[in-house]
């Protein structure tokens, strides 16, 4: 029996085939899960529909994580179609482009608000909506994605670093809150990968080169490697792990210089 057979999951954050969330969706589907995928706005609908055509009986739904009414609709549909939920993959993050190139001291109030709303608060909103469906299954696993910029300064990561610090703290508070209901909450802190979101960060290719030069494994990571780690956290293999930020970065986080 596959590790996620008979399980259902919601995957938020697929933009295209390079998305980390798409690699996780593929791995979860291969492990036997039935999935719902969401897309943010009509611009991305075609991409997500085309990708999910290869999955078994997927649900494809619109979701902007800043819109509480859309969140409610997604979970109503999940309840109707799946009758419960075993896991949630949260791969949404955003900061206005200028916040990722201007000096950090120029961070605007609105840019800060948007980055924290989309990239951190949304995990709370989605977890709250997922909870009753996970309780129907006797528990669940929630997973989000962070970056070392939460803790260390990387050029141009700026307000996204602040949002990731809030996200990692949110993981711990949610884990404490939902643990008694057997719902686990974890993050993977991935090494840098060329995705749509990464393209917005000025000088991103320099960051990639620094990892190739200095990470213990002397290379960057790819989305399939993040997905393999995600399978550990989403399946029973990780049943005793919660409130964790798992580094999947070739060991870069351990380097001093
Ligand atoms: N690529 C990297 O180097 C890297 C490293 C560590 C962590 N991460 C994190 O991984 C996660 C996935 O990013 P990715 O690199 O796969 O890029 P991506 O661009 O493929 O995915 C980001 C997703 O966020 C979604 N999103 C943005 N605003 C949204 C909103 N208001 N409502 C709903 N969805 C919204 C986008 O539609 C997109 O699907 C993000 O949290 C990112 O910060 C990425």
């Amino acid at each position: 029996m596959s590790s996620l057979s008979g399980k259902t999951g919601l995957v938020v954050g697929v933009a295209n085939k390079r998305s980390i969330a798409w690699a996780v969706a593929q791995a979860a589907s291969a492990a036997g899960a039935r999935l719902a995928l969401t897309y943010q706005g009509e611009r991305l609908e075609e991409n997500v529909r085309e990708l999910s055509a290869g999955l078994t009986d997927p649900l494809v739904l619109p979701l902007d994580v800043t819109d509480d009414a859309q969140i409610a609709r997604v979970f109503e549909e999940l309840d109707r179609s799946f009758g419960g939920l075993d896991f949630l993959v949260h791969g949404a993050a955003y900061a206005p482009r200028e916040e990722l190139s201007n000096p950090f001291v120029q961070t605007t109030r609105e840019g800060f608000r948007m980055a924290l709303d989309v990239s951190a608060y949304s995990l709370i909103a989605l977890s709250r909506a997922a909870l009753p469906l996970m309780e129907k299954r006797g528990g669940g696993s929630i997973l989000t994605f962070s970056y070392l910029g939460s803790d260390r300064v990387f050029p141009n990561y700026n307000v996204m670093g602040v949002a990731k610090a809030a996200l990692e703290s949110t993981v711990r508070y949610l884990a404490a809150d939902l643990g008694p209901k057997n719902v686990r909450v974890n993050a993977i802190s991935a090494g840098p990968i060329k995705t749509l979101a990464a393209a917005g960060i000025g000088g991103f290719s320099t960051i990639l080169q620094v990892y190739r030069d200095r990470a213990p494994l002397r290379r960057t990571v790819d989305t399939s490697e993040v997905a393999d780690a995600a399978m550990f956290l989403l399946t029973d293999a990780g049943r005793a792990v919660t409130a964790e930020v798992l580094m999947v970065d070739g060991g870069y986080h351990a380097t001093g210089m």
Side-chain angles (χ1 to χ4, degrees):
M1 201 170 79
S2 303
S3 51
L4 289 176
S5 72
K7 307 267 187 187
T8 56
L10 170 63
V11 179
V12 176
V14 177
N16 57 37
K17 65 176 194 294
R18 292 196 182 80
S19 296
I20 294 172
W22 172 241
V24 177
Q26 285 177 290
S29 175
R34 187 177 170 207
L35 297 178
L37 268 62
T38 65
Y39 57 88
Q40 178 210 5
E42 284 168 19
R43 192 173 50 94
L44 295 175
E45 177 173 3
E46 200 182 322
N47 281 357
V48 176
R49 287 203 185 277
E50 272 177 20
L51 288 170
S52 56
L55 304 175
T56 313
D57 202 13
L59 269 184
V60 179
L61 303 164
L63 178 62
D64 183 318
V65 296
T66 63
D67 183 337
D68 288 327
Q70 280 192 36
I71 293 176
R73 275 200 292 280
V74 164
F75 284 89
E76 276 160 27
E77 186 55 45
L78 284 175
D79 202 12
R80 221 182 348 263
S81 302
F82 291 174
L85 191 69
D86 297 289
F87 61 92
L88 162 65
V89 177
H90 172 273
Y94 176 75
R97 188 170 269 265
E98 59 277 13
E99 306 292 355
L100 303 174
S101 54
N102 286 344
F104 179 68
V105 73
Q106 304 292 352
T107 303
T108 64
R109 193 182 296 277
E110 180 57 12
F112 186 97
R113 191 197 64 71
M114 280 179 82
L116 274 283
D117 187 6
V118 174
S119 317
Y121 178 75
S122 63
L123 183 66
I124 304 174
L126 293 179
S127 298
R128 182 167 59 244
L131 185 60
L133 278 76
M134 289 185 168
E135 284 186 283
K136 287 187 180 184
R137 299 293 172 96
S141 177
I142 296 172
L143 175 65
T144 188
F145 301 99
S146 193
Y147 180 59
L148 186 59
S150 62
D151 198 40
R152 317 262 182 91
V153 174
F154 287 83
N156 297 316
Y157 202 60
N158 294 359
V159 73
M160 191 53 83
V162 179
K164 291 305 191 191
L167 180 70
E168 291 177 17
S169 183
T170 296
V171 163
R172 292 185 284 272
Y173 276 91
L174 283 172
D177 209 8
L178 307 185
K181 301 194 160 141
N182 196 32
V183 173
R184 299 183 290 110
V185 188
N186 294 290
I188 288 177
S189 182
I193 302 171
K194 260 202 171 141
T195 60
L196 193 62
I201 300 160
F204 188 75
S205 45
T206 308
I207 297 179
L208 284 171
Q209 192 55 46
V210 169
Y211 275 68
R212 287 187 200 106
D213 292 342
R214 301 196 199 154
L217 295 183
R218 296 291 190 278
R219 65 177 182 83
T220 56
V221 301
D222 67 32
T223 59
S224 76
E225 293 171 320
V226 176
D228 284 347
M231 286 307 102
F232 164 65
L233 293 168
L234 294 178
T235 63
D236 267 2
R239 65 194 173 279
V241 181
T242 194
E244 178 68 350
V245 179
L246 177 63
M247 308 304 300
V248 181
D249 69 343
Y252 181 82
H253 65 281
T255 59
M257 64 176 286

